[in-house]
Amino acid sequence: MKTYKLAVLPGDFIGPEVIDATIAVLDALSSKYGFSFSYTRLPFGGSALESHGTPLPEATKVACGAADAVLLGAVGGPVGRHPWNRVPREQRIESGLLGIRKYLGVYANLRPVKVFKGLEHLSPLKSEVVRGTDMLIVRELTGGIYFGKPSYNRADEGLSTDVYTRPEVERIARVAFEAARLRGGKVTSIDKANVLDVSQFWREVVIGVQQAEYSGVELEHLYVDNAAMQLVRSPRQFDVIVTSNLFGDILSDLAAVIPGSLGLLPSASVGGQVGLFEPVHGSAPDIAGQDLANPAGAMLSAAMMLRYGLNEEAAAKAIEQAVERALAENPTKDLGGTRGTQAFTEAVVRAITKSAG
Ligand code: NAD
Ligand code: IPM
Ligand code: MN
């Protein structure tokens, strides 16, 4: 029997809660699909900062690089426990997350936003607005203003640099066009080309890639302010969105409102040797330890791991169907249901076991 080696980075607050839930689901799957998992839990995030003096210990990096895939919960702490300002960059908890993405070279962050049939009512938006939404946000993950130099926070001035090189834009554009070919055939590139030089460059390069290699894919451009409005006004218009690191971060939290909760959204970060799979949400200190975390985003990230990282499509579908079924029966409290993390996880595991016959 094949055993996949998973590096597991639970992280902080609800990170370990959604990871435990996801591991229960993966274990329920294993027997049916003829493989198993070995899990190596590694120090990462705020707890690693306390125990190892860094949010991303060297041994954690190395173990991730040697794994078949990396499964991540979430990191971060409340302001006050680890003050966010004037802390050296390497000591910031979130730097551990940026560090592992950069180390693995996972420049493409795929964030699907889908409204399941019959579950439109989970959205705070009108059902007729969200019905049929099925988009993929392709967020550039290892460049842009998150990593640009120079960057500093001085007594009288703060600076961050938004920079993209041609190869960086070309490769993320290709990911988006390739995805669109397999989906609805349309890419919307989102930028701020009416103001920012970096966006004008981004747009030119995306157009160049489309003209040279993907003339069969439709390409449109939206300014990010309009895009934010269009996402809530008529989300069905989108197929594949491609955008920069910062815009993709903001727009994907916004898009989470369409299916109903940030706790639902999964992601896959790919483009390197080893993929990194993590929910879109953060460590949510406000709800930690109360059985309130929605683990669906983490479970669906594990499904993306099976699909894109391990080439186990049938098992990926089994998780997606089980999560959908558990949501339809009675969702978690963030979605207006009555289930806590545990009860929801048991429901997903039950759905998987049942379908396993
Ligand atoms: P957050 O995503 O942690 O929480 C935002 C809101 O959504 C909160 O009200 C929270 O209770 C709710 N929420 C989030 N996930 C949920 C879930 N699974 N189920 C139910 N409700 C959920 O964002 P924040 O509060 O701005 O940030 C908290 C910390 O998380 C910060 O340190 C931030 O930097 C970090 N963060 C980490 C990641 C990551 O590790 N990938 C992502 C985003 C934020
Ligand atoms: C995310 C998070 C991270 C990001 C932070 C915590 C560094 O918000 O994964 O969406 O901005 O990429
Ligand atoms: Mn984010």
Side-chain angles (χ1 to χ4, degrees):
M1 189 163 70
K2 185 158 179 55
T3 299
Y4 292 115
K5 278 193 305 176
L6 301 189
V8 181
L9 311 182
D12 307 314
F13 296 96
I14 69 164
E17 299 175 30
V18 299
I19 286 295
D20 287 347
T22 300
I23 286 178
V25 168
L26 287 173
D27 282 341
L29 265 185
S30 312
S31 51
K32 181 178 181 195
Y33 290 91
F35 54 75
S36 64
F37 297 99
S38 74
Y39 309 100
T40 308
R41 288 172 181 265
L42 299 156
F44 178 64
S47 50
L49 187 58
E50 276 165 12
S51 57
H52 293 67
T54 164
L56 179 58
E58 193 58 32
T60 294
K61 269 196 212 174
V62 171
C64 288
D68 292 318
V70 183
L71 195 57
L72 193 154
V75 290
V79 174
R81 181 156 168 255
H82 296 290
W84 53 268
N85 58 335
R86 307 213 175 272
V87 171
R89 183 178 282 248
E90 20 358 300
Q91 297 261 310
R92 292 181 210 154
I93 300 174
E94 283 77 1
S95 296
L97 187 55
L98 304 188
I100 192 65
R101 291 171 177 168
K102 195 77 168 175
Y103 177 78
L104 294 174
V106 288
Y107 63 84
N109 183 217
L110 314 179
R111 296 185 160 187
V113 181
K114 190 174 169 163
V115 174
F116 294 120
K117 232 195 219 137
L119 297 183
E120 296 82 7
H121 61 283
L122 300 182
S123 178
L125 304 178
K126 289 182 186 139
S127 292
E128 60 266 31
V129 170
V130 303
R131 183 169 293 119
T133 296
D134 184 358
M135 73 178 90
L136 177 68
I137 300 176
V138 177
R139 171 191 177 193
E140 201 291 325
L141 200 62
T142 54
I145 200 165
Y146 277 54
F147 293 92
K149 298 266 164 37
S151 172
Y152 54 77
N153 175 4
R154 294 182 186 152
D156 299 314
E157 191 175 286
L159 177 81
S160 294
T161 301
D162 201 358
V163 56
Y164 273 110
T165 63
R166 180 171 292 277
E168 284 177 322
V169 181
E170 284 178 349
R171 67 185 182 179
I172 196 71
R174 286 193 186 102
V175 170
F177 288 123
E178 291 290 337
R181 266 187 180 163
L182 300 173
R183 297 173 42 102
K186 177 177 163 190
V187 169
T188 305
S189 174
I190 295 176
D191 61 36
K192 189 72 185 175
N194 50 345
V195 177
L196 303 177
D197 286 314
V198 66
S199 282
Q200 290 173 0
F201 174 75
W202 172 283
R203 191 179 283 214
E204 275 167 29
V205 176
V206 172
I207 290 171
V209 171
Q210 190 254 359
Q211 287 177 347
E213 302 167 39
Y214 299 95
S215 54
V217 177
E218 184 190 342
L219 172 63
E220 68 169 17
H221 306 273
L222 288 182
Y223 299 133
V224 63
D225 46 356
N226 181 23
M229 189 274 286
Q230 297 292 342
L231 271 168
V232 282
R233 191 186 72 93
S234 61
R236 262 193 309 275
Q237 70 182 284
F238 295 102
D239 177 23
V240 175
I241 285 173
V242 64
T243 192
S244 63
N245 204 340
L246 181 62
F247 293 162
D249 177 46
I250 298 167
L251 293 177
S252 54
D253 265 39
L254 182 127
V257 174
I258 303 164
S261 169
L262 186 51
L264 284 177
L265 289 205
S267 89
S269 302
V270 297
Q273 296 286 319
V274 180
L276 172 66
F277 302 88
E278 50 166 321
V280 169
H281 65 76
S283 61
D286 55 333
I287 59 164
Q290 300 166 58
D291 195 40
L292 284 175
N294 182 348
M299 292 171 181
L300 295 169
S301 301
M304 294 186 85
M305 170 186 84
L306 287 161
R307 173 171 299 125
Y308 298 110
L310 307 176
N311 212 10
E312 297 280 2
E313 175 64 25
K317 280 228 171 72
I319 294 188
E320 288 164 353
Q321 283 164 2
V323 167
E324 196 175 336
R325 190 157 156 186
L327 287 170
E329 284 168 8
N330 178 3
T332 41
K333 292 177 187 162
D334 52 318
L335 288 162
T338 60
R339 278 177 173 155
T341 313
Q342 301 284 347
F344 184 81
T345 303
E346 284 158 21
V348 176
V349 167
R350 253 195 323 272
I352 284 176
T353 316
K354 257 191 217 153
S355 74

mmCIF file of all heavy atoms in Angstrom, residues 101 111 139 146 248-250 252-253 280-282, ligand 3:
data_model
loop_
_atom_site.group_PDB
_atom_site.id
_atom_site.type_symbol
_atom_site.label_atom_id
_atom_site.label_comp_id
_atom_site.label_asym_id
_atom_site.label_seq_id
_atom_site.Cartn_x
_atom_site.Cartn_y
_atom_site.Cartn_z
ATOM 1 N N ARG A 101 6.267 29.644 1.787
ATOM 2 C CA ARG A 101 5.803 29.775 0.391
ATOM 3 C C ARG A 101 6.992 30.031 -0.538
ATOM 4 O O ARG A 101 7.110 29.433 -1.605
ATOM 5 C CB ARG A 101 4.799 30.931 0.277
ATOM 6 C CG ARG A 101 3.463 30.643 0.964
ATOM 7 C CD ARG A 101 2.601 31.898 1.017
ATOM 8 N NE ARG A 101 1.284 31.626 1.607
ATOM 9 C CZ ARG A 101 0.419 32.569 1.978
ATOM 10 N NH1 ARG A 101 0.727 33.857 1.839
ATOM 11 N NH2 ARG A 101 -0.749 32.239 2.484
ATOM 12 N N ARG A 111 -7.387 29.602 -5.522
ATOM 13 C CA ARG A 111 -8.449 29.751 -4.521
ATOM 14 C C ARG A 111 -9.820 29.648 -5.192
ATOM 15 O O ARG A 111 -10.369 30.643 -5.652
ATOM 16 C CB ARG A 111 -8.293 31.096 -3.785
ATOM 17 C CG ARG A 111 -6.995 31.182 -2.991
ATOM 18 C CD ARG A 111 -6.852 32.440 -2.150
ATOM 19 N NE ARG A 111 -5.843 32.218 -1.100
ATOM 20 C CZ ARG A 111 -5.583 33.062 -0.121
ATOM 21 N NH1 ARG A 111 -6.221 34.205 -0.025
ATOM 22 N NH2 ARG A 111 -4.669 32.764 0.801
ATOM 23 N N ARG A 139 -4.015 33.647 -7.526
ATOM 24 C CA ARG A 139 -3.300 34.723 -6.847
ATOM 25 C C ARG A 139 -1.802 34.481 -6.962
ATOM 26 O O ARG A 139 -1.321 33.403 -6.584
ATOM 27 C CB ARG A 139 -3.735 34.733 -5.371
ATOM 28 C CG ARG A 139 -2.919 35.651 -4.495
ATOM 29 C CD ARG A 139 -3.213 35.417 -3.003
ATOM 30 N NE ARG A 139 -2.353 36.278 -2.198
ATOM 31 C CZ ARG A 139 -2.175 36.161 -0.881
ATOM 32 N NH1 ARG A 139 -2.817 35.213 -0.211
ATOM 33 N NH2 ARG A 139 -1.367 36.959 -0.236
ATOM 34 N N TYR A 146 4.487 42.049 -1.286
ATOM 35 C CA TYR A 146 4.829 41.240 -0.112
ATOM 36 C C TYR A 146 6.339 41.031 0.004
ATOM 37 O O TYR A 146 6.840 40.761 1.098
ATOM 38 C CB TYR A 146 4.160 39.863 -0.190
ATOM 39 C CG TYR A 146 2.723 39.814 0.284
ATOM 40 C CD1 TYR A 146 1.757 40.668 -0.240
ATOM 41 C CD2 TYR A 146 2.329 38.898 1.240
ATOM 42 C CE1 TYR A 146 0.440 40.598 0.185
ATOM 43 C CE2 TYR A 146 1.018 38.812 1.674
ATOM 44 C CZ TYR A 146 0.077 39.677 1.144
ATOM 45 O OH TYR A 146 -1.215 39.595 1.578
ATOM 46 N N GLY A 248 -5.049 39.717 -4.685
ATOM 47 C CA GLY A 248 -5.620 38.376 -4.556
ATOM 48 C C GLY A 248 -5.947 38.045 -3.105
ATOM 49 O O GLY A 248 -6.937 37.362 -2.813
ATOM 50 N N ASP A 249 -5.124 38.522 -2.201
ATOM 51 C CA ASP A 249 -5.382 38.309 -0.777
ATOM 52 C C ASP A 249 -6.703 38.965 -0.392
ATOM 53 O O ASP A 249 -7.582 38.345 0.217
ATOM 54 C CB ASP A 249 -4.224 38.908 0.040
ATOM 55 C CG ASP A 249 -4.469 38.776 1.535
ATOM 56 O OD1 ASP A 249 -4.861 37.678 1.968
ATOM 57 O OD2 ASP A 249 -4.285 39.775 2.258
ATOM 58 N N ILE A 250 -6.860 40.215 -0.771
ATOM 59 C CA ILE A 250 -8.054 40.976 -0.370
ATOM 60 C C ILE A 250 -9.303 40.418 -1.066
ATOM 61 O O ILE A 250 -10.330 40.179 -0.432
ATOM 62 C CB ILE A 250 -7.867 42.466 -0.718
ATOM 63 C CG1 ILE A 250 -6.681 43.042 0.069
ATOM 64 C CG2 ILE A 250 -9.153 43.245 -0.425
ATOM 65 C CD1 ILE A 250 -6.200 44.399 -0.425
ATOM 66 N N SER A 252 -9.937 37.524 -2.280
ATOM 67 C CA SER A 252 -10.400 36.182 -1.925
ATOM 68 C C SER A 252 -11.153 36.188 -0.593
ATOM 69 O O SER A 252 -12.113 35.445 -0.433
ATOM 70 C CB SER A 252 -9.262 35.160 -1.957
ATOM 71 O OG SER A 252 -8.186 35.565 -1.166
ATOM 72 N N ASP A 253 -10.769 37.030 0.361
ATOM 73 C CA ASP A 253 -11.585 37.139 1.580
ATOM 74 C C ASP A 253 -12.966 37.705 1.228
ATOM 75 O O ASP A 253 -13.992 37.252 1.745
ATOM 76 C CB ASP A 253 -10.921 38.064 2.615
ATOM 77 C CG ASP A 253 -10.089 37.305 3.652
ATOM 78 O OD1 ASP A 253 -9.420 36.327 3.263
ATOM 79 O OD2 ASP A 253 -10.109 37.687 4.836
ATOM 80 N N VAL A 280 -8.060 29.385 3.283
ATOM 81 C CA VAL A 280 -7.819 30.813 3.044
ATOM 82 C C VAL A 280 -7.854 31.613 4.354
ATOM 83 O O VAL A 280 -7.173 32.616 4.494
ATOM 84 C CB VAL A 280 -8.863 31.346 2.021
ATOM 85 C CG1 VAL A 280 -8.834 32.865 1.925
ATOM 86 C CG2 VAL A 280 -8.617 30.716 0.640
ATOM 87 N N HIS A 281 -8.619 31.117 5.326
ATOM 88 C CA HIS A 281 -8.791 31.884 6.567
ATOM 89 C C HIS A 281 -7.534 31.886 7.420
ATOM 90 O O HIS A 281 -6.604 31.108 7.214
ATOM 91 C CB HIS A 281 -9.963 31.315 7.373
ATOM 92 C CG HIS A 281 -9.744 29.911 7.878
ATOM 93 N ND1 HIS A 281 -8.932 29.618 8.941
ATOM 94 C CD2 HIS A 281 -10.243 28.717 7.453
ATOM 95 C CE1 HIS A 281 -8.949 28.310 9.161
ATOM 96 N NE2 HIS A 281 -9.731 27.732 8.260
ATOM 97 N N GLY A 282 -7.554 32.757 8.450
ATOM 98 C CA GLY A 282 -6.431 32.860 9.373
ATOM 99 C C GLY A 282 -6.653 32.062 10.648
ATOM 100 O O GLY A 282 -7.479 31.140 10.681
HETATM 101 MN MN MN B 3 -5.550 36.565 3.497
#
